[in-house]
Amino acid sequence: MDGEVVVHAENVTKSFGSVPVLKGVSLEVRRGEVLCLMGSSGSGKSTFLRCINRLETISSGDLYVCGEPPGYRVSGSRHYELSEREIARQRMRVGMVFQHFNLFRNKTALENVMEGPVQVKHIDRSEAKRHALELLTSVGLGARALAYPNQLSGGQQQRVAIARALAMDPELILFDEPTSALDPELVGEVLAVMRKLAHRGLTMIVVTHEISFAREVADNVAFLDDGKVIEMGPPRDVLWNPRQHRTKEFLSRILADDRAGLPVDTDGTAG
Amino acid sequence: MVQTVSNSNAASVGHSVVRRKHVGRWILTIICLVLLSMLVHALIVNDRFGWSTVADQFFSSFILKGVGMTLVLTSLSMAIGIVLGVVLALMRMAEHNYLVAALAGGYIWFFRGTPLLVQLIFWYNIATLYPRLSIGIPYGPEFVSANANTLVTPVMAAVFGLGLNEAAYMAEIVRGGLLSVDRGQVEAALAVGMTPSKTMRRVVLPQAMRVIIPPTGNSVIGMLKFSALASVISVAELLDSAQLIYARTFETIPLLVVASLWYLVLSSAFSVGQYYIERHFGRGTSSSSGVSASLGRRVARVLGFGRRTGLQAA
């Protein structure tokens, strides 16, 4: 990995009131890299993800996204708080895909994808529409462009949401458990789209429980436990030969739940 | 009489099904028909309703002027109520400024907690409290100043009284609508780079409208009727016009009938308008009921006759 650093986190902490959620997260994501964040619920994965585009603010530590701390302007040794407009400008560079899709319910699939480019980037409507249709086609939904979200299946909605994030041409896309709210038979279609994006070299941070996806697509896996990264590295280390007891425990639990999925095969351990 | 049916609609094909006779329903229907005919008979036979007077006065210029004033009062005070109501709702939901939220809460507390009639009479008599009204720097020089008695006409007192009161109720309606929009919609809008104010205008408000419109329709119809209170402060609206006529001719009942019929016509028109606005803001929700129904049936449902389904609130 030698691309430029897109996300740099050092000792990031976050508390909700007196409850600490992140207790010092340090990690780095470089351009073109796919990082999977894994860990049991409550370990702080989603909170960390939301700090990256300032849906949450961090309590202490250093966090840089595309060279800037979210929500601040650095001048000398001081951080100056940014206005909402400037924070919005920072967020434009970071796409986000949510667990519950969060498509704009009063807009069609096409309008959902066009909304950002037209309203935020002020791109010409016809140009934005052409690009949006292209994106919808690339996620396999060109024919459903005029459907409203409630007329689409969960998997289709999530693919529209991915197209919506792509439409802003972001430097980084955050995926917050993108398949957790889907029926099992719809998970595959969403993962297929994400796999395609990874192969195209998009920088992605994915909070997921899909171990087979992480094994196949991730460049790095960070395993969070109790607000800290306890193990990080390529999947062949973290997912095939975990060193930490907590990681082993978590993986065996997930794989046991996932009986229909991959067997805990041995051929990977060689790689 | 036993009716036997053996078509394919029957629950079990091939068997003859004996329908229940529903004796109770028939008795109830007959009772309702008798009561209805008594009502119609009472309306026609009693010539003290003065139906010919009703017909004469219905389109008289005096009454029509009153109708016009009622519409002016309703629309202006609703406009004030909606605009101020949105502002109050946003103030009340201000997360980082307790004083702003408390101010809005205090306003709503005061205007909902005192009778509308008292408020109207209060505004009418504002000149006895503040003989001169002026615009200027607080505690500093005045730029414009005028005599309150000439500035605050009865119509103005009525519009402000009705509008400021309505704002308190609209604030709660709008707040309920805004709260009904899922937090995820806001996060999605912020994530594509919208500012909070654009998120409010482009994403939250349009979706809140679906929840805001039905009770607002009720408010408009309520306002139409509350505007009759302005007759107390001598605003020449519909009821006041009717009263002025019967004070002279003593045809009290016929003119009250005229006024009532006009109120019915206007509120019916508002209901139909509400139906179409609701349908516009219902895009993207599955309740597309009524789209395929005939116009007559739709109008009947909007006005509250016929079977009710879903959200109809009027």
Side-chain angles (χ1 to χ4, degrees):
Chain A
M1 283 293 139
D2 50 358
E4 80 184 85
V5 175
V6 180
V7 176
H8 172 88
E10 212 171 298
N11 240 336
V12 169
T13 72
K14 165 74 185 174
S15 306
F16 289 108
S18 61
V19 183
V21 181
L22 300 179
K23 298 177 179 171
V25 173
S26 302
L27 53 78
E28 210 158 73
V29 180
R30 290 173 183 276
R31 184 168 307 286
E33 184 184 330
V34 177
L35 171 73
C36 283
L37 291 177
M38 308 191 84
S40 47
S41 68
S43 60
K45 340 178 265 305
S46 290
T47 305
F48 178 71
L49 204 67
R50 292 160 60 82
C51 288
I52 292 174
N53 71 349
R54 215 179 189 265
L55 288 179
E56 305 288 356
T57 53
I58 65 174
S59 303
S60 72
D62 282 325
L63 180 62
Y64 289 88
V65 179
C66 306
E68 295 177 16
Y72 299 97
R73 180 170 55 81
V74 183
S75 180
S77 62
R78 294 198 175 154
H79 281 38
Y80 293 90
E81 262 187 34
L82 293 177
S83 69
E84 296 290 355
R85 183 170 295 279
E86 290 163 318
I87 294 173
R89 181 187 53 76
Q90 284 187 335
R91 285 197 182 110
M92 277 167 57
R93 297 183 301 213
V94 183
M96 185 151 186
V97 174
F98 298 87
Q99 181 178 1
H100 296 287
F101 332 131
N102 295 352
L103 290 182
F104 304 130
R105 264 174 276 181
N106 55 335
K107 296 185 196 305
T108 62
L110 182 65
E111 289 166 343
N112 263 279
V113 181
M114 287 170 63
E115 186 72 5
V118 171
Q119 290 298 324
V120 177
K121 283 192 162 175
H122 304 290
I123 288 173
D124 177 58
R125 275 196 86 82
S126 58
E127 167 61 20
K129 185 174 174 182
R130 195 188 54 73
H131 188 49
L133 279 171
E134 249 173 50
L135 286 169
L136 283 174
T137 309
S138 77
V139 298
L141 289 169
R144 303 304 313 274
L146 298 181
Y148 283 97
N150 68 339
Q151 297 164 330
L152 297 171
S153 74
Q156 291 173 327
Q157 289 189 53
Q158 195 59 297
R159 286 186 280 153
V160 174
I162 293 173
R164 177 174 68 178
L166 288 171
M168 293 299 287
D169 206 10
E171 302 194 25
L172 162 73
I173 298 193
L174 312 172
F175 293 83
D176 188 4
E177 305 205 27
T179 57
S180 301
L182 296 176
D183 290 339
E185 78 266 26
L186 302 178
V187 169
E189 63 191 56
V190 172
L191 292 182
V193 168
M194 291 169 60
R195 207 171 279 132
K196 210 163 77 178
L197 297 179
H199 290 318
R200 259 175 35 196
L202 197 77
T203 315
M204 297 161 62
I205 303 182
V206 187
V207 171
T208 186
H209 294 295
E210 298 289 335
I211 289 183
S212 55
F213 174 81
R215 278 175 173 169
E216 184 196 338
V217 178
D219 297 300
N220 276 307
V221 175
F223 190 85
L224 269 76
D225 186 56
D226 195 26
K228 279 184 173 157
V229 177
I230 59 167
E231 195 159 1
M232 180 164 170
R236 79 178 111 80
D237 297 337
V238 179
L239 295 179
W240 297 106
N241 296 304
R243 286 193 308 272
Q244 299 290 330
H245 174 65
R246 290 284 296 148
T247 318
K248 284 178 196 165
E249 215 179 59
F250 175 79
L251 289 175
S252 62
R253 203 167 56 234
I254 291 266
L255 289 171
D257 290 347
D258 207 20
R259 255 174 257 286
L262 293 182
V264 191
D265 38 5
T266 46
D267 56 351
T269 49
Chain B
M1 187 192 87
V2 173
Q3 213 181 353
T4 58
V5 186
S6 60
N7 59 19
S8 57
N9 279 341
S12 45
V13 180
H15 295 275
S16 56
V17 174
V18 181
R19 294 274 185 227
R20 290 180 57 205
K21 275 176 281 187
H22 299 297
V23 178
R25 281 188 207 171
W26 282 106
I27 294 173
L28 201 60
T29 307
I30 288 163
I31 292 174
C32 287
L33 281 173
V34 170
L35 289 174
L36 191 63
S37 74
M38 283 168 71
L39 177 67
V40 172
H41 183 255
L43 286 176
I44 294 171
V45 169
N46 189 341
D47 57 9
R48 275 170 291 202
F49 274 108
W51 292 108
S52 61
T53 314
V54 170
D56 287 344
Q57 291 289 352
F58 198 73
F59 291 110
S60 72
S61 65
F62 210 63
I63 288 290
L64 288 182
K65 268 186 203 152
V67 170
M69 178 54 79
T70 288
L71 284 174
V72 167
L73 284 183
T74 305
S75 45
L76 285 184
S77 44
M78 252 347 263
I80 290 177
I82 290 172
V83 172
L84 192 56
V86 171
V87 172
L88 284 168
L90 292 176
M91 282 172 69
R92 205 169 180 200
M93 291 170 77
E95 284 167 19
H96 303 295
N97 198 330
Y98 180 75
L99 182 64
V100 165
L103 268 177
Y107 180 99
I108 293 165
W109 169 76
F110 182 82
F111 280 90
R112 281 205 312 191
T114 53
L116 176 54
L117 187 53
V118 174
Q119 289 173 29
L120 281 177
I121 300 171
F122 179 88
W123 290 114
Y124 184 61
N125 291 302
I126 190 77
T128 61
L129 191 60
Y130 292 104
R132 292 198 74 76
L133 299 175
S134 53
I135 299 175
I137 297 169
Y139 306 110
E142 294 173 357
F143 301 140
V144 196
S145 145
N147 185 336
N149 239 334
T150 51
L151 194 68
V152 183
T153 61
V155 175
M156 205 161 147
V159 166
F160 273 95
L162 293 168
L164 295 182
N165 181 267
E166 184 59 31
Y169 289 91
M170 280 307 301
E172 292 296 272
I173 292 173
V174 172
R175 193 169 69 102
L178 294 178
L179 288 176
S180 77
V181 179
D182 180 30
R183 172 79 198 155
Q185 297 285 311
V186 175
E187 292 186 348
L190 293 177
V192 296
M194 286 194 202
T195 58
S197 61
K198 184 159 246 172
T199 299
M200 178 57 72
R201 272 179 289 131
R202 293 284 311 174
V203 175
V204 179
L205 264 183
Q207 292 188 52
M209 288 307 267
R210 199 171 59 80
V211 176
I212 292 173
I213 294 285
T216 303
N218 280 349
S219 284
V220 172
I221 289 165
M223 180 60 80
L224 177 73
K225 293 171 296 174
F226 281 129
S227 70
L229 288 175
S231 63
V232 174
I233 54 173
S234 64
V235 174
E237 47 69 67
L238 180 50
L239 178 61
D240 191 64
S241 307
Q243 284 175 329
L244 282 179
I245 297 175
Y246 72 63
R248 188 161 35 90
T249 64
F250 299 105
E251 294 163 321
T252 310
I253 296 294
L255 277 141
L256 288 179
V257 170
V258 167
S260 302
L261 287 177
W262 267 114
Y263 282 116
L264 278 172
V265 167
L266 296 177
S267 62
S268 307
F270 284 144
S271 300
V272 173
Q274 180 188 355
Y275 169 80
Y276 284 100
I277 295 174
E278 265 177 42
R279 207 171 59 161
H280 173 78
F281 283 104
R283 281 175 310 171
T285 60
S286 52
S287 66
S288 53
S289 68
V291 173
S292 58
S294 72
L295 182 68
R297 198 178 283 176
R298 263 184 281 165
V299 169
R301 183 160 56 208
V302 168
L303 297 184
F305 309 128
R307 293 185 186 183
R308 289 194 166 208
T309 51
L311 275 174
Q312 304 300 340

